[in-house]
Amino acid sequence: MSAYEIVLKSREKGRPTAVKYISNIVEGFIELHGDRRFADDRAIVAGVGYIEGMPVTVIGIEKGDDTNDKIAHNFGCAHPEGYRKAVRLMKEAEKFRRPVLCFVDTSGAYCGIGAEERGQSEAIAMSILDMIRLKTPTLSVIIGEGGSGGALGLCAADEVWITETSTYSVISPEGCASILWKDSSRVAEASECLKMTADDLIALGAVERVIPEDGFSEGFYRKLKADVAETFRKLKKIPADTLVENRYRRFRKF
């Protein structure tokens, strides 16, 4: 597939969202709400549960399924309170030494006036900073669109994985074409230039693993669950200060 075909695939209707991943991978999931400052942002679904008997904190950017669901979840475009909710639960996870698993699927953070008034850029920046400093294992999985700072706010992890038809980029190809060439029709060309596909990202060292999708079958979720559990068991053996230092170096090398 071309880069633009993969972009379209990452946005495809019916593609499994964060809630689907959580229901298939996390046992006994209990959703938690609110940032304790302003409101509960439904674009970010977060809570606690178990993976192969291991307590974990799970945070997912949820796009929604049908039209009403998408509206309820703001099409996966998180507000500042969503990132602040995520940080609150990450710090709780650190306190109890629970690993943090993030599922990322967003075209970008919400850019409305209210979000800007409540400090959208500051909320994302603090999410990145606090996630890098977190003294517990972290893993982020890009399951659709990994759009700009909206995605990066939950991708400052020990490892970042991506499914084979997902994307991860500083900007949408439409936005890139409009800004660079003042011509949104050059979106396919922009998709190639951005190096946003899984193959590009693994070659650049921006992600650690590309996950074959296998039609999102039961076997796909079973394998992903086992791989996540194995990775967390490995990361839990690393001293907390070393985890933080390794995570810092991961981002410095970019």
Side-chain angles (χ1 to χ4, degrees), residues 4 31 68 108 116 142 153 169 171 185 195 206 213-214 221 226 229 239:
Y4 187 53
E31 187 177 356
N68 289 335
E116 295 298 327
I142 300 168
S169 175
I171 192 171
S185 68
K195 304 296 182 187
E213 291 170 354
D214 189 29
Y221 293 109

Side-chain angles (χ1 to χ4, degrees), residues 2-157:
S2 70
Y4 187 53
E5 286 172 335
I6 293 172
V7 169
L8 295 177
K9 189 77 173 174
S10 74
R11 302 168 175 171
E12 197 171 56
K13 184 178 180 181
R15 189 180 180 91
T17 64
V19 166
K20 181 73 177 288
Y21 278 80
I22 292 170
S23 66
N24 278 277
I25 290 172
V26 183
E27 306 138 13
F29 178 71
I30 299 173
E31 187 177 356
L32 302 174
H33 300 273
D35 67 343
R36 301 299 186 265
R37 297 186 191 183
F38 181 75
D40 181 45
D41 182 9
R42 291 193 62 194
I44 291 187
V45 174
V48 295
Y50 297 88
I51 295 179
E52 293 191 356
M54 180 192 312
V56 295
T57 289
V58 186
I59 301 164
I61 304 179
E62 172 61 24
K63 279 187 172 181
D65 188 10
D66 58 27
T67 301
N68 289 335
D69 200 33
K70 288 178 185 294
I71 292 169
H73 292 286
N74 204 36
F75 297 85
C77 296
H79 294 77
E81 48 271 22
Y83 293 101
R84 290 172 180 140
K85 172 170 68 172
V87 168
R88 178 175 75 83
L89 294 186
M90 287 180 200
K91 289 184 175 180
E92 179 193 84
E94 180 183 59
K95 179 179 179 181
F96 295 103
R97 188 67 172 158
R98 281 197 304 263
V100 176
L101 173 63
C102 297
F103 292 111
V104 176
D105 184 14
T106 180
S107 59
Y110 187 60
C111 55
I113 292 173
E116 295 298 327
E117 288 174 340
R118 297 192 301 278
Q120 182 71 287
S121 58
E122 183 268 348
I124 293 172
M126 289 308 300
S127 183
I128 294 169
L129 179 61
D130 286 332
M131 196 171 184
I132 285 179
R133 296 191 299 199
L134 210 62
K135 292 186 176 181
T136 196
T138 55
L139 171 64
S140 295
V141 185
I142 300 168
I143 60 171
E145 288 185 279
S148 192
L152 188 57
L154 292 182
C155 279

Side-chain angles (χ1 to χ4, degrees), residues 158-178:
D158 296 310
E159 292 189 15
V160 175
W161 300 354
I162 186 169
T163 64
E164 61 185 341
T165 61
S166 293
T167 59
Y168 189 29
S169 175
V170 296
I171 192 171
S172 70
E174 292 86 356
C176 175
S178 296

Side-chain angles (χ1 to χ4, degrees), residues 148-226:
S148 192
L152 188 57
L154 292 182
C155 279
D158 296 310
E159 292 189 15
V160 175
W161 300 354
I162 186 169
T163 64
E164 61 185 341
T165 61
S166 293
T167 59
Y168 189 29
S169 175
V170 296
I171 192 171
S172 70
E174 292 86 356
C176 175
S178 296
I179 291 169
L180 289 186
W181 302 308
K182 311 297 186 215
D183 183 0
S184 60
S185 68
R186 296 174 68 176
V187 61
E189 185 180 351
S191 299
E192 296 289 348
C193 293
L194 284 167
K195 304 296 182 187
M196 61 196 302
T197 68
D199 288 344
D200 290 327
L201 294 162
I202 196 77
L204 290 167
V207 300
E208 278 70 33
R209 186 180 301 193
V210 176
I211 306 167
E213 291 170 354
D214 189 29
F216 302 109
S217 63
E218 287 186 19
F220 164 79
Y221 293 109
R222 190 163 53 246
K223 173 104 173 38
L224 180 57
K225 181 177 181 178

